[in-house]
Amino acid sequence: MFNRIFGKPKQETNALATLDKLNETLDMLEKKEKVLLKKVSAEVERAKEFAKSRNKRAAIQCLKRKRLYEQQIEQLGNFQLRIHDQMIMLEGAKATTETVDALRTGAATMKAMQKATNIDDVDKTMDEINEQTENMKMIQEALSTPLGAAADFDEDELEAELEELEGAELEEQLLQPATQAPAAPVHATPSRPQAQPARNRTKEDDELAALQAEMAL
């Protein structure tokens, strides 16, 4: 158990150290590749110069060295590819290990929780809760039961007395005289023009009345 407990950090440390070493090696290979690429370019330029000066033998030697540098560059590329592959596999294995450890920890925690709370304890707890609930109901019913003189009252007699009171109240209401209906609202009617007070008859009025009488004949 202790080996398993103390072995996990060591394994994780080894994985991180291996990844660091692979990264260092990859950087070194990339630097060498850049140097070789510069040498290839230099050999090409020298071959061009020898070709211009008609030094065919020297130009061919430059091209041979260029081929050798290119082979080394190709080999370095293969090394880098293998290192990348190894890093991907190592990172995947590290992630898998961490996932399995997390799942193992979760399973152990769940197992411990199940041991702490088994089905018998749950049933016992539920029985105690139900018993306490029933006791509380009985206590509440006991507290709501009438005590003393109130316990001797007959509910049927009280209901009959209440019905008599309601019947007497209804009979009293029927015997009361009907109240006068509220007066209908008075609507204001359009005011008629008031008759003008009679004027004192004048001589002109008498003459007009005589003229009208003559015309009527």
Side-chain angles (χ1 to χ4, degrees), residues 22-23 26 30 77-91:
L22 291 174
N23 279 319
L26 187 62
E30 290 176 351
N78 292 330
F79 291 162
Q80 293 177 31
L81 183 61
R82 291 182 180 179
I83 290 177
H84 280 296
D85 187 22
Q86 188 69 27
M87 291 176 65
I88 291 172
M89 292 178 62
L90 185 58
E91 289 175 353

Side-chain angles (χ1 to χ4, degrees), residues 90-129:
L90 185 58
E91 289 175 353
K94 182 174 178 293
T96 301
T97 302
E98 291 176 352
T99 302
V100 172
D101 290 340
L103 293 174
R104 186 182 294 111
T105 303
T109 303
M110 186 178 296
K111 186 176 181 180
M113 293 173 65
Q114 290 177 355
K115 287 183 178 180
T117 307
N118 54 33
I119 187 62
D120 295 334
D121 292 337
V122 174
D123 292 339
K124 183 178 179 181
T125 302
M126 294 304 299
D127 291 339
E128 291 177 355
I129 292 174

Side-chain angles (χ1 to χ4, degrees), residues 20-34:
D20 292 338
K21 181 63 177 178
L22 291 174
N23 279 319
E24 292 177 0
T25 305
L26 187 62
D27 293 339
M28 180 267 295
L29 293 176
E30 290 176 351
K31 290 179 181 179
K32 285 187 176 182
E33 183 180 6
K34 290 180 180 179

Side-chain angles (χ1 to χ4, degrees), residues 66 148 162:
K66 181 182 81 70
L162 179 60

Side-chain angles (χ1 to χ4, degrees), residues 31-47 62-63 65-70 72-73:
K31 290 179 181 179
K32 285 187 176 182
E33 183 180 6
K34 290 180 180 179
V35 173
L36 291 174
L37 288 173
K38 290 181 180 180
K39 289 183 178 181
V40 168
S41 299
E43 293 296 336
V44 171
E45 294 298 328
R46 291 177 62 184
C62 291
L63 293 177
R65 288 192 293 271
K66 181 182 81 70
R67 295 282 182 87
L68 293 174
Y69 292 147
E70 288 176 348
Q72 292 182 6
I73 291 172

Side-chain angles (χ1 to χ4, degrees), residues 50-202:
F50 285 130
K52 289 180 181 179
S53 61
R54 303 288 182 175
N55 191 346
K56 183 178 180 181
R57 183 181 181 85
I60 291 176
Q61 292 296 326
C62 291
L63 293 177
K64 288 182 178 180
R65 288 192 293 271
K66 181 182 81 70
R67 295 282 182 87
L68 293 174
Y69 292 147
E70 288 176 348
Q71 290 178 359
Q72 292 182 6
I73 291 172
E74 184 178 358
Q75 188 178 15
L76 291 176
N78 292 330
F79 291 162
Q80 293 177 31
L81 183 61
R82 291 182 180 179
I83 290 177
H84 280 296
D85 187 22
Q86 188 69 27
M87 291 176 65
I88 291 172
M89 292 178 62
L90 185 58
E91 289 175 353
K94 182 174 178 293
T96 301
T97 302
E98 291 176 352
T99 302
V100 172
D101 290 340
L103 293 174
R104 186 182 294 111
T105 303
T109 303
M110 186 178 296
K111 186 176 181 180
M113 293 173 65
Q114 290 177 355
K115 287 183 178 180
T117 307
N118 54 33
I119 187 62
D120 295 334
D121 292 337
V122 174
D123 292 339
K124 183 178 179 181
T125 302
M126 294 304 299
D127 291 339
E128 291 177 355
I129 292 174
N130 292 331
E131 183 179 357
Q132 295 299 326
T133 302
E134 292 296 329
N135 293 336
M136 183 57 66
K137 289 182 179 179
M138 294 174 63
I139 293 172
Q140 291 176 352
E141 290 177 358
L143 292 175
S144 62
T145 302
L147 299 176
D152 298 332
F153 295 152
D154 189 352
E155 295 292 336
D156 295 334
E157 293 180 357
L158 294 175
E159 290 182 0
E161 184 177 354
L162 179 60
E163 291 179 0
E164 291 179 1
L165 292 176
E166 291 177 349
E169 181 69 19
L170 179 60
E171 184 178 357
E172 184 179 354
Q173 291 179 0
L174 294 175
L175 293 176
Q176 289 180 358
T179 57
Q180 294 182 354
V186 179
H187 298 285
T189 55
S191 60
R192 297 179 179 179
Q194 298 179 356
Q196 296 292 332
R199 296 182 302 172
N200 294 328
R201 295 181 65 85
T202 61

